[in-house]
Amino acid sequence: MDKQEARVKLAQVMERFIGMACKRLPDDVYAKLKELRDNETSEMQRVIYDTYFDNLERAEKLNRPSCQDTGLLHFYINCGSEFKYIGIVEDALREAVAKATFSSPLRQNTVNFFEERNTGDNTGERMPWLHWEIIPDNDELEICVYFAGGGCCLPGCAKVFKPSDGYAAIVRYVFDAVSDLGLNACPPVIVGGGLGHNVENAAVLSKMAYLRPLGTSHKHEKGAKLERDLLDGLNKLGIGAQGLPGKQVAMEVHVESSARHTATIAVGVNVACYMHRRGFIKFNNDLDYDISKSYKGVSI
Ligand code: SF4
């Protein structure tokens, strides 16, 4: 397959993948919502969860997006250093987004900043948003697609503290973010915390944190404990689905970290809503693909 054929094929597969992922929740998120629904004792909370499931069922039956806000398209890309078609990935993703805007369909959400004009096809300056990591001695391409809705973007924040402020500052910052604007992100939410040395790396880490599959923990024992403690604390706030009284404002809290500067502790917070449309697709060098990490038994 030459590069032109590869670009067409990758764009077509990604257009179909986007079309499916905007209508269906990944398996881990769906299973977590079922678990949370069964933990709630209030009748109001159960009604809300049942409405969520009814909405998802109808989205699939009617072939319509599961939420009106299909967001801006973000792609987190793990690309093997030996993947043959690295040079066409960006063009293929742009084309896939533009076409999926009409075939899915996606809401036209993308506005070029200073022109204040909707681009009409969800592509624009640096949009779709791409984050690349190169994996040495590997010949696969894994793409994580994420639909960044407005309600989820609103609570996002990052701040740099002095080390003397300690872990207490981190905890207070996360609680303030979730209990204030976090409620715009249709709870139960997934909270991503990034711990590093400046706002940029903390923000990126917080995004990587909430894209991580549910049921996984930070690799350091203390990081995993911080995740559990934050989740326990947030779920004692008495906030449930849709920000109404309930037992679980958060599905999970994920933390990712990097080494920090001796003089700083940076915290980033990103919040994802219950409609966590995030899915993984993996390609080999023949552009055969596999989506079973997020969607078992589903074909596109
Ligand atoms: S927060 Fe999520 S579920 Fe709520 S409107 Fe936005 S995208 Fe949809």
Side-chain angles (χ1 to χ4, degrees):
M1 193 175 347
D2 66 20
K3 282 189 180 168
Q4 174 60 8
E5 289 167 331
R7 191 188 59 73
V8 171
K9 181 167 180 187
L10 187 60
Q12 285 173 345
V13 173
M14 288 307 297
E15 180 188 349
R16 295 202 302 274
F17 185 60
I18 292 166
M20 180 277 295
C22 73
K23 292 160 193 151
R24 186 186 184 108
L25 282 179
D27 299 341
D28 57 341
V29 179
Y30 192 84
K32 178 55 85 172
L33 289 173
K34 284 272 178 203
E35 181 191 317
L36 264 51
R37 190 251 179 230
D38 294 342
N39 288 341
E40 284 292 356
T41 42
S42 114
E43 198 181 331
M44 172 63 84
Q45 282 296 306
R46 291 194 162 196
V47 167
I48 294 169
Y49 276 99
D50 289 345
T51 309
Y52 286 172
F53 294 123
D54 184 40
N55 172 62
L56 283 163
E57 208 175 293
R58 285 167 194 249
E60 216 176 317
K61 255 192 216 146
L62 299 169
N63 198 25
R64 293 280 182 276
S66 47
C67 175
Q68 40 78 35
D69 187 356
T70 47
L72 297 192
L73 271 291
H74 288 196
F75 297 104
Y76 271 59
I77 302 165
N78 283 329
C79 187
S81 57
E82 312 306 319
F83 180 68
K84 277 197 294 201
Y85 301 113
I86 185 169
I88 52 91
V89 172
E90 183 163 353
D91 281 352
L93 292 176
R94 249 184 120 77
E95 184 178 323
V97 169
K99 290 193 168 159
T101 297
F102 300 97
S103 59
S104 295
L106 307 175
R107 196 170 76 179
Q108 292 153 309
N109 279 328
T110 305
V111 176
N112 269 338
F113 211 94
F114 291 108
E115 291 159 19
E116 294 290 354
R117 198 171 290 244
N118 197 307
T119 66
D121 67 1
N122 284 313
T123 69
E125 184 187 14
R126 295 193 171 122
M127 202 53 63
W129 184 253
L130 268 50
H131 175 94
W132 287 86
E133 300 214 2
I134 302 297
I135 314 298
D137 301 324
N138 177 288
D139 62 1
E140 291 181 321
L141 170 74
E142 185 180 64
I143 300 175
C144 175
V145 61
Y146 177 67
F147 299 77
C152 302
C153 295
L154 265 178
C157 52
K159 186 166 178 178
V160 185
F161 293 92
K162 296 191 289 288
S164 56
D165 292 324
Y167 283 14
I170 300 173
V171 172
R172 194 176 313 116
Y173 193 66
V174 173
F175 267 69
D176 286 349
V178 176
S179 60
D180 181 9
L181 291 174
L183 302 186
N184 285 275
C186 296
V189 297
I190 299 165
V191 181
L195 303 179
H197 74 285
N198 75 354
V199 285
E200 174 210 346
N201 97 310
V204 171
L205 288 166
S206 70
K207 185 63 173 289
M208 288 163 70
Y210 80 14
L211 295 178
R212 227 173 61 202
L214 296 182
T216 58
S217 306
H218 190 281
K219 58 183 186 297
H220 194 287
E221 188 191 318
K222 285 186 179 171
K225 182 170 182 326
L226 180 61
E227 291 175 338
R228 288 194 302 275
D229 289 349
L230 284 167
L231 179 65
D232 286 351
L234 288 170
N235 282 344
K236 288 195 170 90
L237 290 173
I239 305 168
Q242 286 300 320
L244 292 166
K247 294 204 275 192
Q248 300 150 130
V249 71
M251 292 189 235
E252 285 190 5
V253 177
H254 290 180
V255 170
E256 288 292 319
S257 56
S258 75
R260 64 175 178 80
H261 191 285
T262 181
T264 61
I265 290 183
V267 189
V269 181
N270 252 303
V271 178
C273 64
Y274 87 94
M275 193 60 79
H276 191 40
R277 293 149 299 172
R278 164 287 272 126
F280 295 91
I281 182 167
K282 194 180 257 192
F283 293 88
N284 65 16
N285 258 332
D286 294 321
L287 295 187
D288 299 325
Y289 58 90
D290 176 18
I291 60 170
S292 61
K293 182 169 169 181
S294 303
Y295 310 95
K296 283 211 172 55
V298 176
S299 51
I300 54 169

